[in-house]
């Protein structure tokens, strides 16, 4: 098994302005409690996470509507390093599967939140959908640029029925076919949730 989940730790970089991750003890045995009990606060888009369409579409599905069967099964890992944006021309040259993950060159540990990363052009999103891709995975924190307000990549993928898995840790993973297991926390009504993702 290959763990492709980003580490979560105090100070882990999150999207600028989003809720930082924090872990603290609510009860402590050292202070007389019978058990240690932790408490966390965080963005739902923490590290490796699954977007629900409601994140970027007012009428979109919330997290519990995403079929679990899509999150477990054969997948293709594609080396997309050097691509400034994901284009149809590039996609025509690589193997695709129902679940396709793109390694764009992001390191598994961010010293600070990335300012530039590979976005998905709308025409590339439409091509992916036409080729039967249903789950798009990336090591980047988003499928749109950091300063995007219109989110054309997100919306084009949604229009094609493609779900989005972001923030994967793919450094050192060889391109090829794997089995993906990428299950989110079961957060009913949520816009996203952290995922524990592995390849087998």
């Amino acid at each position: 098994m290959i763990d492709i989940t980003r580490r979560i730790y105090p100070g882990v970089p999150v999207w600028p302005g989003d809720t930082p991750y924090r872990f603290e003890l609510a009860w402590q045995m050292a202070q007389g409690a019978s058990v240690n009990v932790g408490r966390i606060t965080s963005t739902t888009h923490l590290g490796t996470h699954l977007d629900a369409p409601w994140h970027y579409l007012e009428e979109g599905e919330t997290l519990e509507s995403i079929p679990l069967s899509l999150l477990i099964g054969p997948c293709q890992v594609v080396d997309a390093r050097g691509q400034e944006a994901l284009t149809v021309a590039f996609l025509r040259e690589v193997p695709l599967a129902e679940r396709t993950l793109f390694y764009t060159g992001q390191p598994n540990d961010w010293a600070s939140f990335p300012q530039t990363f590979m976005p998905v052009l709308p025409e590339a999103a439409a091509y992916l959908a036409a080729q039967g891709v249903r789950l798009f995975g990336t090591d980047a924190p988003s499928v749109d640029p950091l300063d995007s307000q219109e989110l054309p990549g997100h919306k084009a993928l949604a229009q094609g029925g493609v779900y989005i898995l972001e923030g994967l840790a793919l450094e050192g993973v060889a391109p090829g076919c794997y089995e993906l297991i990428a299950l989110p926390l079961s957060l009913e009504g949520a816009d996203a949730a952290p995922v524990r993702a592995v390849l087998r």
Side-chain angles (χ1 to χ4, degrees), residues 100-157:
T100 304
L101 314 181
F102 291 84
Y103 172 49
T104 73
Q106 289 289 331
N108 286 352
D109 290 297
W110 288 327
S112 59
F113 197 83
Q115 300 299 298
T116 57
F117 38 83
M118 185 194 77
V120 179
L121 298 181
E123 56 269 30
Y127 181 85
L128 288 166
Q131 299 305 307
V133 175
R134 296 285 319 286
L135 182 68
F136 176 90
T138 176
D139 59 346
S142 178
V143 299
D144 284 300
L146 187 69
D147 60 355
S148 176
Q149 298 296 311
E150 297 300 320
L151 304 179
H154 282 85
K155 292 175 181 177
L157 287 168

Side-chain angles (χ1 to χ4, degrees), residues 151-190:
L151 304 179
H154 282 85
K155 292 175 181 177
L157 287 168
Q159 186 173 6
V162 182
Y163 295 97
I164 303 169
L165 182 61
E166 295 171 330
L168 293 164
L170 293 173
E171 188 175 18
V173 177
C177 297
Y178 298 85
E179 179 189 20
L180 173 68
I181 304 168
L183 299 178
L185 294 174
S186 185
L187 303 180
E188 187 171 346

Side-chain angles (χ1 to χ4, degrees), residues 6-15 17-25 38-48 113 185 194:
R6 289 187 180 275
R7 293 185 307 120
I8 296 173
Y9 53 89
V12 62
V14 299
W15 193 275
D18 206 347
T19 306
Y21 170 74
R22 182 177 179 187
F23 172 83
E24 58 189 336
L25 285 173
R39 174 170 56 211
I40 61 174
T41 56
S42 173
T43 173
T44 51
H45 297 263
L46 182 66
T48 305
F113 197 83
L185 294 174

